[in-house]
Amino acid sequence: MSSHGKQRQQKILKGSYQQEEAVNLQGTAGAPSFPSARIEEQSCRNWTQLMEQVVSKRNMGDAYKRVLQNKGAAGVDRVEVQNLKPYLFEHWERIKQELLMGTYKPSPVRRVEIPKPDGGVRLLGIPTVIDRLIQQSLLQVLNFIFNPDFSEYSYGFRPRRSARQAVTKAQEYINEGYRHVVDMDLSKFFDRVNHDILMAKVARAIGDKRVLKVIRAYLEAGVMVNGVVQETEEGTPQGGPLSPLLANIMLDDLDKELEKRGHRFVRYADDCNIYVRSKRAGERLMMSIREFVEGKLKLKVNEEKSAVDRPWKRKFLGFSFTSQRETRIRIAPKTKQRFKDKVRELTSRRRSISMESRIRYLNIYLRGWMGYFKLAETPSVFHELDEWIRRRLRTCVLKQWKKPKTRRRELIKLGISPESAKKISGSRKGYWRLSLTPQLNKALGLHYFETQGLFSLASALSKG
């Protein structure tokens, strides 16, 4: 057991660890609730009565709330989230006994293909609602055991940790002089996890064979494609609550190896960036870590997407960095392009909807996008995108006005002189060119769209 693990065990036996963990998980929905007496009686390693904790009323209640909150699509049984409660009334006692006896068999997951931003598809496996509930209840218990021992440089899918923290940490390394990055991408990581290696890592901390058995059952539940169940001999299907934790357990040895070597790194799920002082050092490290990942973990490094380069030439979690001595966080070019593609879709002139509805749909996307990317420290890009969005919307307004006399009338209403309105309404320029004319900028500018309720990226940034 590591020194950290021994200290944690002593805290648990003293009864102090539960209070500390409650503080760490404060504000995290679905945090597990263990009776303190139960914790004081057991070691932090190899607990043998975990399944009783998994199916406890309090833990299942927290899991139920989280599943309802997350919503999500139905699995192969087509039971929707809103039907979970009556389903549990009818079947829960049987399912609970099967879990306690170690005989529960999960249903196959439903295969869903999601397009990736950079091409290709991501294969998701959607479990049934009842399996999502059981996985969530397992996750809450296992998080309590595994999370404290994970590396402090691991940020993905952990309580009180985020992608934004990972990006900020990367910025710190660059400003300390580590201005080369080993950007390692694992090829189809979630599809290639070796079940035996993963289960061996889980079994290091879990002594309850029923818990181990149900986790392996989820790994081997299979995937239903076109009505036919296909066996899964490797991989952790993305789409279930348990998959992210299992991914962190699988990659924890990589974190510990990098820590042992004294490297500065950040990892978010299967995105791992290691910061070094020179390209030569990075190339040596890339070769060494590739051997570790492919030899010990039996995973595959994606040679096309992995590289040793300057941080400002790479993308990390949607962000990049400036090349200045004191680097600043910026939005990566590919992220900006994906943003524009989505806005083009929402502002397409082919969509015959009112401007009120168009702005409402656009605002939903803009608020969510800005909630994440406001970490960027280059405000000019937000002003630029705001101007571009308003120009897109002006083309929609022009098309809605259609006839020249309608354009002339509406422009005059907006304060444009009759002569200028006549010139614009009679122009043969296309919508996109007209949208940039001074007259249109004045009539359908910042003030106009503020009155229409359009969300402003730059204003949201300034408000913090």
Side-chain angles (χ1 to χ4, degrees):
M1 183 186 299
S2 67
S3 59
H4 176 72
K6 290 178 181 177
Q7 292 172 4
R8 180 167 164 253
Q9 185 181 52
Q10 291 170 359
K11 285 182 180 181
I12 291 177
L13 295 176
K14 290 177 182 177
S16 63
Y17 183 77
Q18 187 187 27
Q19 183 177 3
E20 180 179 307
E21 187 70 2
V23 173
N24 290 339
L25 293 175
Q26 185 178 7
T28 304
S33 302
F34 290 95
S36 57
R38 171 79 65 168
I39 288 181
E40 290 172 4
E41 292 170 1
Q42 300 185 54
S43 163
C44 70
R45 298 287 181 181
N46 297 320
W47 287 347
T48 57
Q49 300 296 315
L50 282 182
M51 189 57 80
E52 280 73 12
Q53 303 289 353
V54 171
V55 300
S56 69
K57 184 176 181 179
R58 209 166 160 188
N59 188 54
M60 292 302 300
D62 288 338
Y64 178 79
K65 292 175 186 176
R66 174 56 69 89
V67 171
L68 289 186
Q69 177 185 344
N70 290 343
K71 299 179 182 179
V76 295
D77 61 358
R78 298 299 176 183
V79 175
E80 301 285 348
V81 173
Q82 59 266 29
N83 297 325
L84 178 57
K85 190 172 184 178
Y87 185 91
L88 289 173
F89 272 121
E90 185 176 352
H91 299 284
W92 173 241
E93 283 305 317
R94 171 185 58 81
I95 293 170
K96 179 180 177 181
Q97 288 305 312
E98 289 177 358
L99 288 167
L100 290 171
M101 296 293 291
T103 58
Y104 180 76
K105 295 186 182 300
S107 302
V109 297
R110 181 167 65 88
R111 170 60 49 82
V112 176
E113 295 184 355
I114 304 295
K116 288 184 178 181
D118 53 355
V121 294
R122 177 176 284 109
L123 301 178
L124 298 186
I126 308 300
T128 61
V129 179
I130 186 63
D131 281 328
R132 291 210 293 275
L133 177 67
I134 296 169
Q135 285 194 37
Q136 181 64 36
S137 63
L138 281 165
L139 173 67
Q140 292 166 181
V141 173
L142 297 180
N143 248 341
F144 186 86
I145 297 169
F146 285 99
N147 188 63
D149 283 339
F150 283 149
S151 167
E152 64 177 294
Y153 307 106
S154 165
Y155 292 87
F157 310 112
R158 297 181 60 191
R160 299 183 68 82
R161 286 180 168 253
S162 67
R164 295 172 65 185
Q165 291 174 337
V167 174
T168 302
K169 191 66 178 178
Q171 181 188 31
E172 289 179 19
Y173 292 146
I174 298 168
N175 284 331
E176 288 172 5
Y178 297 85
R179 296 173 73 84
H180 287 81
V181 62
V182 179
D183 185 356
M184 180 170 291
D185 183 89
L186 299 179
S187 179
K188 297 182 179 179
F189 167 71
F190 286 93
D191 300 327
R192 288 181 170 166
V193 169
N194 183 289
H195 290 173
D196 291 334
I197 294 176
L198 173 58
M199 290 307 303
K201 295 180 186 301
V202 175
R204 292 176 188 170
I206 303 298
D208 192 326
K209 293 183 179 180
R210 298 166 299 176
V211 172
L212 296 175
K213 188 175 180 180
V214 77
I215 293 173
R216 183 174 277 276
Y218 276 119
L219 293 174
E220 299 176 348
V223 178
M224 183 169 286
V225 182
N226 297 324
V228 178
V229 177
Q230 299 178 357
E231 294 183 359
T232 48
E233 297 179 354
E234 60 180 6
T236 61
Q238 295 183 75
L242 204 52
S243 184
L245 175 65
L246 296 178
N248 278 333
I249 293 172
M250 186 68 184
L251 292 174
D252 189 54
D253 280 1
L254 172 61
D255 297 339
K256 296 300 192 293
E257 179 68 18
L258 292 171
E259 284 182 348
K260 185 173 72 174
R261 298 185 188 188
H263 290 300
R264 288 155 176 80
F265 71 98
V266 286
R267 182 179 65 79
Y268 190 94
D270 56 337
D271 285 337
C272 184
N273 277 11
I274 313 163
Y275 293 86
V276 294
R277 291 191 181 274
S278 69
K279 186 171 184 178
R280 186 176 177 185
E283 289 170 345
R284 288 198 303 267
L285 179 59
M286 175 69 87
M287 186 179 300
S288 172
I289 294 300
R290 182 191 294 114
E291 290 176 0
F292 178 87
V293 168
E294 296 184 349
K296 186 170 182 180
L297 301 182
K298 305 302 179 187
L299 298 170
K300 181 71 175 174
V301 174
N302 189 326
E303 300 291 345
E304 292 182 4
K305 294 185 178 180
S306 300
V308 178
D309 209 337
R310 295 289 195 177
W312 42 90
K313 294 182 180 179
R314 305 296 295 177
K315 177 173 70 72
F316 182 53
L317 301 177
F319 294 95
S320 189
F321 304 91
T322 64
S323 59
Q324 299 155 326
R325 185 176 183 83
E326 284 294 319
T327 190
R328 291 186 297 163
I329 299 168
R330 66 186 178 94
I331 293 172
K334 286 186 178 179
T335 300
K336 184 177 173 182
Q337 187 58 51
R338 288 200 298 271
F339 172 86
K340 286 192 168 185
D341 290 342
K342 181 62 176 180
V343 172
R344 284 190 185 96
E345 178 188 328
L346 293 170
T347 59
S348 171
R349 295 191 297 275
R350 296 191 185 95
R351 298 183 72 193
S352 298
I353 59 175
S354 68
M355 182 56 65
E356 181 184 0
S357 297
R358 195 183 298 273
I359 288 177
R360 184 171 68 252
Y361 295 138
L362 186 58
N363 282 350
I364 292 171
Y365 174 69
L366 295 178
R367 286 194 176 95
W369 188 87
M370 192 60 186
Y372 178 76
F373 285 103
K374 66 182 178 183
L375 181 67
E377 300 169 321
T378 51
S380 61
V381 70
F382 298 108
H383 289 282
E384 175 194 328
L385 291 173
D386 271 345
E387 292 173 3
W388 179 79
I389 291 167
R390 290 195 295 269
R391 187 179 178 187
R392 291 283 309 175
L393 290 173
R394 282 197 290 272
T395 65
C396 296
V397 174
L398 284 171
K399 184 174 182 181
Q400 286 180 350
W401 287 344
K402 291 184 180 178
K403 295 180 180 180
K405 65 178 184 180
T406 305
R407 290 185 194 174
R408 183 170 179 271
R409 183 182 69 246
E410 295 298 329
L411 287 171
I412 291 173
K413 283 182 183 178
L414 292 168
I416 302 300
S417 68
E419 184 179 346
S420 295
K422 183 178 180 181
K423 189 181 295 185
I424 290 292
S425 62
S427 174
R428 293 186 178 183
K429 292 179 181 178
Y431 295 131
W432 186 244
R433 288 186 64 191
L434 272 178
S435 65
L436 200 58
T437 58
Q439 295 88 342
L440 262 297
N441 263 320
K442 180 181 177 182
L444 302 172
L446 176 60
H447 177 71
Y448 173 82
F449 284 110
E450 282 181 347
T451 62
Q452 298 296 310
L454 178 65
F455 180 82
S456 169
L457 302 175
S459 295
L461 184 68
S462 63
K463 291 176 183 177

